[in-house]
Amino acid sequence: MPDTPPSLSPQDALVAVMVAVSASDEQMRTSELVAIQRMVNHMPVFNAYDSDRIRTVSQTVFDLFEEEDGLDALFGLIRDALPERLRETAYALACDVVAADGKLRDMELRMLEEVREELAIDRLHAAAIEWGARVRHLRP
């Protein structure tokens, strides 16, 4: 029996990670939504990606958050869709979303930790990615 293709594209999986960290504190802030849209519109990894898919992917994330084991299911979909070479990219995008509003909330930090663990991001690499996000989003 052949493997069935993942229900998310690699770019959908990147969007799902960003939406999940933004929604993890049950409040998606405008600055976070703008950051997601900006990254989808400008980053090379999203070339040829239909940005209208953001709404569909977001709804999938929200629906899974409502289910008892939804977070596990979400990470399963993300891991299935995301090639190894894009896992650090996913973590970097997630860090940028969390840093976008200038405030690091406990729930968002816990979700980042979950992303780091679920995607098997090396601790040293994660620290460098986190530092990069922090300095990119410093306020005067």
Side-chain angles (χ1 to χ4, degrees):
M1 185 165 141
D3 289 335
T4 57
S7 58
L8 298 176
S9 72
Q11 290 82 5
D12 287 338
L14 294 172
V15 169
V17 169
M18 291 189 287
V19 170
V21 297
S22 178
S24 64
D25 64 354
E26 300 178 353
Q27 186 175 11
M28 293 185 74
R29 286 158 186 78
T30 302
S31 57
E32 295 168 342
L33 296 172
V34 168
I36 292 169
Q37 188 69 55
R38 187 183 66 242
M39 287 186 271
V40 168
N41 289 341
H42 294 95
M43 295 195 71
V45 73
F46 291 107
N47 281 353
Y49 182 70
D50 179 3
S51 63
D52 290 341
R53 296 249 334 128
I54 295 172
R55 184 179 309 276
T56 304
V57 172
S58 297
Q59 192 57 56
T60 300
V61 172
F62 301 148
D63 291 347
L64 286 170
F65 274 10
E66 295 297 318
E67 295 180 15
E68 187 173 331
D69 294 323
L71 192 56
D72 291 336
L74 176 63
F75 280 119
L77 287 172
I78 290 167
R79 279 191 308 272
D80 288 347
L82 208 54
E84 184 78 29
R85 66 183 181 80
L86 290 180
R87 292 195 174 184
E88 287 179 344
T89 301
Y91 189 66
L93 296 174
C95 287
D96 279 343
V97 169
V98 168
D101 67 357
K103 294 186 175 96
L104 304 177
R105 291 168 182 80
D106 287 341
M107 287 299 292
E108 293 171 329
L109 294 174
R110 280 197 287 280
M111 180 61 90
L112 276 180
E113 183 178 346
E114 189 84 19
V115 170
R116 187 173 62 242
E117 290 172 8
E118 292 287 340
L119 298 183
I121 305 298
D122 177 87
R123 281 296 297 142
L124 190 56
H125 295 187
I129 291 167
E130 292 159 8
W131 179 83
R134 184 181 59 80
V135 298
R136 272 193 304 281
H137 294 277
L138 281 176
R139 305 247 191 286

